[in-house]
Amino acid sequence: MSDKATLEYNGKKYEFPVTEGTENELAIDIKTLRSATGGIITLDPGYKNTGSCESAITFLDGEKGILRYRGYSIEELAEKADFLEVAYLLIFGELPNKEQLSKFHNDIREESHVDEEMKKILDGFPKSAHPMGVLSSLTSALVAFNPSSVDVSSESEMYKSTVRILAKFPVLVAWAMRKKKGLPLDYGDDTLGYVENIHKMMFKRPNKEYSKNKIVIDALDKLLILHADHEQNCSTSTVRIVGSSFAGLFASISAGISALWGPLHGGANQAVLEMLEAIEADGGDTKKYMAKAKDKSDPFRLMGFGHRVYKNFDPRARIIKKSADEVLGDLGIEDPILEIAKGLEKEALEDPYFVDRKLYPNVDFYSGIIYRALGIPTEMFTVMFALGRLPGWIAQWREMRLKGEPIGRPRQVYIGENHRPFVAVDLR
Ligand code: ACO
């Protein structure tokens, strides 16, 4: 196999090195393309064929349905690890031993307060505000209360900013939900596990003792693990590109939250549930909505189906589907929405339109059903995704900064007007 690729244009040949990843992925390294050819660039809207970086964090093979964090399969991590261990693994590259994990958790606990002044910022939002907007704004506001830039040559500064955001972000998540529900803005309980504490912060009622439900905590833990990283997706690329300008970690993450919000990305889990509810309200006729999804004159898409990378199945969807069945069974919930979801899935898997285009249920198809069973309001679904994705964003930001990657700045092919003289307003 050649380690060079040749490009021929206008009778001239140019050679570029071919680089190979540890999982045998090949990439033509075109770093010198523009200078060698006198200005030619590549054009790849949506970056479907463009690698933006070399990364050692997450491997996924969309054809084979493989997802691994730092070499460990998502199936094994979801079954055997907890979310904090996975966060450590993603960020620092290895699973922590007992002492490392305990120190990590204690350091997070030390930082788990959020400045009281932040409550005034939250106060300024209407109750109707979408919690993703609130979360993005509050995360950005954290910058004002904490140093905005991190000296990446200082291991301790890097570590501090990591534990700080892991500590404070869940408080903001809980506040975003509690504000919506009209509940007092509480802090966590340092005696609890990381995820248990998040659950308590979200659900503790002012006049009631908090009681732990293991099924709920385990399901939440698993969901967070499944969302923890997914290599160079839209929000992660956003975090890396914002961070590449040396914007601080919190500012970069705030931008990632905005990118995640859209219905084609993290917002899909909310869109899935709204779609399932609409189908139920419309009499539960899944065939009608299948036909709409296939009709090119109809903008309706089957939310929760299809993926830019997974073209066989989404391994996270398999785990989550099983988990949805277990959680609903254990909690004794019979949800007509789940039946509609199962019906849609069955029909889509047998329908040539979906089969030919390799459109399979993605992680969001089932996550919303579990969130709903756990009592999490629909508008909070994407916030829960952000909470899970936080370690991935941190890991990717850290990797990018430690490698000293250049500022992200794509080029374009200009297709607008050529130079023309200015025309005064009264002559137009
Ligand atoms: N319903 C109906 N048709 C679809 C769907 C869908 N959900 N998804 C893709 N298609 C069709 C397209 O219309 C297109 O058809 P055509 O070839 O006849 O024109 C073909 O499948 C390819 O679709 P693209 O949009 O080109 O695929 P792409 O890889 O760019 O998009 C995406 C992937 C955005 C996820 C898309 O499948 C989609 O919109 N799905 C619904 C939203 C969703 O669930 N998003 C969550 C993604 S997972 C995540 O972010 C965690």
Side-chain angles (χ1 to χ4, degrees):
M1 198 166 41
S2 169
D3 58 357
K4 296 239 182 316
T6 308
L7 172 78
E8 192 171 340
Y9 180 71
N10 260 354
K12 273 194 173 174
K13 284 188 179 171
Y14 306 92
E15 276 199 340
F16 298 99
V18 174
T19 170
E20 187 173 356
T22 49
E23 290 286 347
N24 311 115
E25 290 164 307
L26 298 174
I28 301 169
D29 179 346
I30 53 142
K31 276 194 221 78
T32 59
L33 174 68
R34 217 172 143 266
S35 57
T37 57
I40 298 178
I41 60 166
T42 55
L43 184 62
D44 185 21
Y47 312 121
K48 291 193 180 192
N49 306 281
T50 299
S52 61
C53 60
E54 288 178 317
S55 177
I57 301 170
T58 290
F59 172 69
L60 69 88
D61 182 329
E63 304 303 323
K64 296 191 186 132
I66 293 173
L67 173 61
R68 294 185 203 133
Y69 299 159
R70 302 281 189 184
Y72 297 99
S73 79
I74 191 65
E75 289 82 3
E76 215 177 354
L77 289 171
E79 197 193 320
K80 297 177 184 165
D82 71 27
F83 180 58
L84 208 57
E85 280 178 284
V86 170
Y88 188 100
L89 170 71
L90 283 167
I91 297 166
F92 302 111
E94 295 295 338
L95 283 167
N97 61 28
K98 265 191 190 159
E99 290 73 40
Q100 287 166 327
L101 186 61
S102 151
K103 178 180 182 321
F104 189 46
H105 197 180
N106 284 335
D107 292 340
I108 290 172
R109 287 181 173 121
E110 281 303 307
E111 292 286 347
S112 61
H113 58 278
V114 169
D115 199 299
E116 280 287 302
E117 297 281 323
M118 290 277 290
K119 289 185 177 171
K120 293 187 191 150
I121 300 173
L122 184 63
D123 242 11
F125 285 95
K127 236 182 182 175
S128 59
H130 194 287
M132 279 299 271
V134 173
L135 186 65
S136 168
S137 307
L138 290 184
T139 306
S140 203
L142 271 184
V143 176
F145 296 88
N146 299 274
S148 62
S149 62
V150 182
D151 176 1
V152 294
S153 60
S154 158
E155 194 53 48
S156 70
E157 268 193 40
M158 287 290 268
Y159 183 77
K160 205 167 201 174
S161 62
T162 297
V163 293
R164 265 197 186 143
I165 190 78
L166 282 168
K168 298 180 199 308
F169 197 72
V171 181
L172 303 184
V173 164
W175 282 3
M177 184 173 116
R178 295 181 77 86
K179 155 112 186 171
K180 244 192 148 35
K181 289 192 156 183
L183 291 167
L185 306 180
D186 285 348
Y187 290 97
D189 177 345
D190 275 358
T191 62
L192 303 178
Y194 186 73
V195 174
E196 191 184 353
N197 187 30
I198 293 172
H199 187 257
K200 180 174 177 184
M201 282 195 284
M202 289 174 75
F203 289 100
K204 164 95 177 65
R205 321 261 331 164
N207 44 354
K208 245 186 173 177
E209 200 56 37
Y210 168 77
S211 72
K212 172 183 168 171
N213 181 331
K214 194 172 174 330
I215 298 164
V216 169
I217 306 297
D218 287 351
L220 201 52
D221 204 292
K222 198 174 281 191
L223 277 165
L224 295 174
I225 291 174
L226 293 181
H227 286 90
D229 196 47
H230 213 237
E231 52 116 302
Q232 308 311 317
N233 55 82
C234 178
S235 57
T236 301
S237 298
T238 301
V239 169
R240 284 184 86 124
I241 210 163
V242 172
S244 76
S245 76
F246 285 14
L249 176 61
F250 301 172
S252 306
I253 284 174
S254 165
I257 297 167
S258 298
L260 186 72
W261 193 355
L264 295 190
H265 190 13
N269 55 15
Q270 176 176 339
V272 168
L273 210 89
E274 284 166 356
M275 174 189 79
L276 295 173
E277 282 169 349
I279 297 175
E280 191 200 11
D282 194 22
D285 184 356
T286 49
K287 290 202 166 50
K288 175 176 164 188
Y289 284 85
M290 286 291 291
K292 270 167 77 65
K294 294 189 283 182
D295 179 357
K296 292 289 168 199
S297 63
D298 190 325
F300 176 78
R301 276 190 169 197
L302 211 52
M303 298 313 288
F305 275 78
H307 198 277
R308 168 59 61 80
V309 184
Y310 294 120
K311 300 297 179 192
N312 258 330
F313 66 91
D314 181 340
R316 302 165 302 172
R318 273 200 182 157
I319 302 171
I320 226 167
K321 180 183 175 186
K322 195 165 157 266
S323 188
D325 285 339
E326 283 166 8
V327 170
L328 268 72
D330 287 345
L331 297 177
I333 296 172
E334 275 178 31
D335 193 342
I337 293 289
L338 185 63
E339 293 313 310
I340 291 174
K342 283 181 174 166
L344 278 180
E345 186 199 27
K346 189 172 177 298
E347 281 171 42
L349 292 180
E350 290 165 359
D351 191 302
Y353 174 96
F354 287 86
V355 175
D356 293 350
R357 288 171 180 75
K358 302 190 171 182
L359 301 170
Y360 297 89
N362 58 47
V363 65
D364 292 320
F365 191 64
Y366 286 101
S367 64
I369 294 163
I370 307 188
Y371 288 139
R372 186 171 134 110
L374 302 186
I376 295 171
T378 311
E379 278 200 329
M380 282 294 291
F381 290 1
T382 317
V383 168
M384 299 311 289
F385 189 156
L387 186 61
R389 184 55 55 89
L390 181 65
W393 287 335
I394 298 169
Q396 300 273 353
W397 182 91
R398 190 174 187 273
E399 180 182 72
M400 181 270 309
R401 289 300 310 273
L402 288 177
K403 277 185 164 182
E405 278 176 16
I407 186 166
R409 204 298 188 186
R411 288 194 171 262
Q412 63 164 16
V413 175
Y414 176 70
I415 55 162
E417 297 289 343
N418 292 117
H419 180 245
R420 47 184 175 162
F422 179 78
V423 181
V425 69
D426 48 349
L427 295 175
R428 281 174 226 157

